[in-house]
Amino acid sequence: MEASEMQAIGDTLMRIVTPDMTPKQLIKAARKVHPTASKKDIARAAFFSIIANADQDIGKARNLQAFALAERTQAAE
């Protein structure tokens, strides 16, 4: 995945993430905007977005962190 694609997915995630959203819901919502993105791409973009935006919106960054860690853990199992 190119950096511009990761940035675009990360921007989408920051826009759509809510505290009560499950990982499945977040993936589904992200794929509506980025239909070719894999779960792995979305998780990577979430980590990227956390780093890029943590100082701007700590709540959304925490929600994305929880999602990204959950997806990363599932992939390792």
Side-chain angles (χ1 to χ4, degrees):
M1 172 172 35
E2 293 182 19
S4 61
E5 291 174 272
M6 189 178 310
Q7 176 70 41
I9 295 170
D11 290 345
T12 299
L13 293 173
M14 284 298 288
R15 197 174 58 252
I16 63 175
V17 70
T18 62
D20 59 334
M21 199 173 236
T22 67
K24 281 186 176 185
Q25 290 171 328
L26 187 58
I27 290 169
K28 186 176 180 178
R31 283 190 172 155
K32 284 183 181 178
V33 181
H34 306 280
T36 61
S38 68
K39 284 172 61 173
K40 194 174 200 175
D41 290 340
I42 295 168
R44 285 182 180 156
F47 278 116
F48 174 81
S49 191
I50 292 164
I51 294 165
N53 298 301
D55 60 339
Q56 296 172 2
D57 193 334
I58 191 73
K60 286 187 177 189
R62 284 184 181 151
N63 294 336
L64 287 178
Q65 181 182 26
F67 160 74
L69 290 174
E71 285 303 309
R72 204 66 170 149
T73 303
Q74 285 179 358
E77 294 174 352

